[in-house]
Amino acid sequence: MKSIMAGLLALAVSVPAAFAGEISDRAAEAEKLLQSGDGAGALEKFSSAQEALWQAMPLGVLNVKQVDTASGFGIYSERANHIYKPGEKIVLYMEPVGYGYGKDGLGNSMIALSVDITVVSAAGEKLGTMEKVGRVQIASRSHNRELFFKLDLSLDGLPAGKYRCDFVMHDENSSKTPLPRRPAGRQIPVRLRHA
């Protein structure tokens, strides 16, 4: 529990001060409950600390991978390289964090995220941007935080060469913006070669 609490406290440093006190206070209460033998109460209090952290943190994307397959959170087969044949599908796996929750009118929380992609040449020239090329919308009774986003791309029509796909994720349920040092997007290297 101490290592989990230390990690939670370390993350709290990057959130606004008002939330940081609330997060660390809840985590400390969870530790006290655990030491007193109330595991269920400790878990509930720790979950409330995680919820406060999630609400305070900016939108971000973790664990971005080029994959062969992806079927669930943490369930993917990572691609061996970044080289693709013409017409071959590029599959990205990513884990968004810090997104907001809307309502669907039926008592569910609603997660709604979309992705924009900009294709950039090896020389740094922007070749085009595709907005909302990927979108996920999920209704749930709880505030799910184990969410994966699978994006299928095609770069048909481009000649053989090295490219970069810059992507930015958008949260449709909040006005959260990413921190400059940890953007809600990434750069993905791609190389097209003719077979």
Side-chain angles (χ1 to χ4, degrees):
M1 180 70 168
K2 285 187 180 185
S3 65
I4 293 172
M5 188 169 156
L8 189 60
L9 291 174
L11 285 171
V13 171
S14 68
V15 300
F19 282 105
E22 179 183 358
I23 294 164
S24 60
D25 290 348
R26 290 180 187 184
E29 289 175 39
E31 187 170 16
K32 286 178 188 174
L33 287 167
L34 183 62
Q35 289 172 352
S36 72
D38 184 2
L43 186 58
E44 185 176 331
K45 186 55 74 172
F46 192 75
S47 293
S48 75
Q50 287 179 310
E51 182 70 23
L53 173 65
W54 191 270
Q55 290 176 13
M57 70 188 297
L59 180 64
V61 182
L62 305 177
N63 200 23
V64 178
K65 305 285 184 195
Q66 290 182 33
V67 299
D68 291 319
T69 62
S71 59
F73 184 83
I75 305 169
Y76 58 87
S77 174
E78 193 167 351
R79 187 174 172 90
N81 60 49
H82 306 299
I83 301 170
Y84 297 85
K85 297 175 187 172
E88 188 176 4
K89 184 169 51 172
I90 299 166
V91 182
L92 300 179
Y93 169 94
M94 54 192 93
E95 297 171 359
V97 295
Y99 45 82
Y101 302 94
K103 297 288 183 190
D104 71 351
L106 301 172
N108 295 312
S109 293
M110 180 63 72
I111 300 166
L113 303 167
S114 63
V115 173
D116 297 344
I117 294 282
T118 301
V119 179
V120 182
S121 72
E125 178 186 358
K126 291 184 180 180
L127 302 177
T129 298
M130 297 170 277
E131 295 182 356
K132 293 190 178 185
V133 70
R135 186 169 188 267
V136 65
Q137 188 171 3
I138 297 172
S140 173
R141 291 282 178 193
S142 65
H143 283 183
N144 291 6
R145 291 196 264 293
E146 286 192 349
L147 175 71
F148 83 103
F149 194 112
K150 180 182 155 207
L151 184 62
D152 296 337
L153 296 174
S154 173
L155 298 182
D156 284 346
L158 290 177
K162 292 183 179 180
Y163 298 92
R164 188 180 78 221
C165 294
D166 296 347
F167 78 86
V168 177
M169 186 167 285
H170 302 282
D171 183 0
E172 298 176 17
N173 289 316
S174 79
S175 59
K176 288 185 175 188
T177 56
L179 290 175
R181 68 179 185 276
R182 189 67 166 183
R186 296 287 173 84
Q187 298 178 344
I188 305 297
V190 174
R191 185 172 174 196
L192 298 176
R193 76 168 178 201
H194 292 291

